[in-house]
Amino acid sequence: MSSIEKAIERLAKSNKAAASAETTPTHNFDEGTYQEKTAQPSAIQVQLDYETLSKIGYIVPDAGNKVLSEEYRIIKRPIIRNALGKGAAPITNGNLVSISSSLPSEGKTFTAFNLALSISTEMDSTVLLIDGDVLKCSMSKLLGIEKEKGLIDLLNDKQTSVRDVIIHTQIPRLKLMSAGTRSEKTTELLASKEMERLLDELSDRYKDRIIIFDAPPILATSEAGVLNQHMGQILLVVEAGQTPVDAIKDSLSRFDDEKAVGLVLNKSREGNGANYYGTYY
């Protein structure tokens, strides 16, 4: 087991999200609304392990990685502008952002979480990070929330409300949602009217919130294409020296022209042999 795998295992064990007293669900589909309230006594809480996350490269508060932090400031700026309608052209669902890759293990979860952490430092925006990779659940496992109800439960069970699956962290502007309970019909759920209603509600109700999906690899699953159809912005993670050019072209060809598409060059080594994450958008 590698040092990173050991760190992730330690992190998963240390994060035990605890929910307090149960409350009656408020999933009002008849009114076309998903009820979510700010932190209540019954809200699910998770304490992010800054020390362990920092050791495996995440830009948690006081991590001290100034180079990487600055890289994500560069990445997030156009995304925030597009999300808030301040970009060069209006983008439908601009505050719905998918972080994906062509193939597995290119660093999309790393990018999604670091981007969410960076956006959570903004004064005028909040961020909801959703584990949309419902088969692998990498983000949920990383943060130790894989046993919590999440996206699939919300789509599959009308008795489940957004408040039941929103996970609060010690970072006030950062909320999480796990992938949820495994289902044999994940593709159909992601393509359903319920998914459209959920995303419309989240996108319209919270104008200052940027909703980031850690999405599945585009060329590896059918879920990725279905999920990306709903997004206004898509960030494609490319692993330096590893991702085949044909795979990148194939992935880009699957996006609609009206999407705002960016790329992140991940695991790039430049200058003095330093390992950092080069980006362009």
Side-chain angles (χ1 to χ4, degrees):
M1 182 181 293
S2 69
S3 59
I4 289 181
E5 289 173 332
K6 290 179 181 178
I8 292 175
E9 183 178 9
R10 174 187 164 196
L11 177 63
K13 290 179 180 178
S14 66
N15 282 339
K16 295 182 179 179
S20 53
E22 295 183 355
T23 56
T24 303
T26 57
H27 202 172
N28 295 332
F29 280 91
D30 55 332
E31 298 178 6
T33 60
Y34 288 78
Q35 306 273 338
E36 179 198 346
K37 298 181 180 179
T38 55
Q40 300 289 328
S42 59
I44 304 171
Q45 305 279 342
V46 64
Q47 192 77 9
L48 300 178
D49 185 341
Y50 288 169
E51 181 180 357
T52 302
L53 288 169
S54 178
K55 286 180 179 178
I56 54 179
Y58 290 95
I59 53 173
V60 293
D62 303 320
N65 194 333
K66 294 182 179 180
V67 174
L68 188 57
S69 296
E70 185 60 29
E71 291 290 336
Y72 276 93
R73 290 190 183 99
I74 296 171
I75 296 172
K76 75 177 176 180
R77 197 52 55 200
I79 291 175
I80 293 173
R81 286 200 301 268
N82 288 334
L84 300 181
K86 298 179 180 179
I91 297 173
T92 303
N93 293 335
N95 60 345
L96 299 180
V97 183
S98 170
I99 312 298
S100 190
S101 59
S102 299
L103 305 167
S105 303
E106 295 188 80
K108 65 179 184 60
T109 299
F110 181 90
T111 302
F113 190 37
N114 270 335
L115 179 61
L117 287 167
S118 187
I119 293 176
S120 72
T121 65
E122 294 290 310
M123 301 301 295
D124 302 316
S125 298
T126 63
V127 59
L128 171 62
L129 177 60
I130 300 176
D131 190 347
D133 194 350
V134 293
L135 297 178
K136 194 173 181 181
C137 311
S138 298
M139 190 269 286
S140 299
K141 293 174 182 176
L142 171 70
L143 302 179
I145 58 174
E146 69 271 24
K147 294 183 180 179
E148 299 292 344
K149 287 186 176 182
L151 177 61
I152 294 302
D153 301 281
L154 195 57
L155 299 173
N156 202 28
D157 181 7
K158 291 185 178 182
Q159 297 305 309
T160 300
S161 70
V162 169
R163 187 177 63 177
D164 295 330
V165 299
I166 291 290
I167 300 172
H168 298 260
T169 72
Q170 70 265 46
I171 301 174
R173 294 183 179 274
L174 174 64
K175 306 293 188 295
L176 308 172
M177 186 185 297
S178 76
T181 306
R182 287 184 177 274
S183 171
E184 295 181 356
K185 52 181 181 178
T186 54
T187 302
E188 290 75 16
L189 289 170
L190 293 176
S192 68
K193 290 293 184 182
E194 303 301 343
M195 182 67 170
E196 290 184 12
R197 292 176 66 178
L198 169 62
L199 293 177
D200 287 344
E201 183 69 20
L202 291 175
S203 179
D204 293 340
R205 181 183 286 262
Y206 306 100
K207 293 296 185 180
D208 66 337
R209 174 174 291 176
I210 298 173
I211 302 160
I212 297 176
F213 283 82
D214 178 16
I218 293 166
L219 304 183
T221 68
S222 58
E223 285 81 5
V226 173
L227 183 61
N228 286 332
Q229 289 178 0
H230 299 291
M231 302 293 110
Q233 301 190 69
I234 300 173
L235 205 62
L236 183 67
V237 178
V238 176
E239 185 177 0
Q242 295 296 322
T243 308
V245 174
D246 287 345
I248 300 171
K249 291 180 178 179
D250 191 354
S251 296
L252 293 174
S253 71
R254 302 184 185 211
F255 303 147
D256 297 334
D257 292 339
E258 66 269 18
K259 308 288 186 188
V261 178
L263 295 98
V264 172
L265 182 62
N266 194 19
K267 304 180 185 177
S268 172
R269 290 181 178 271
E270 293 187 14
N272 298 328
N275 189 359
Y276 74 97
Y277 294 78
T279 67
Y280 65 96
Y281 188 89

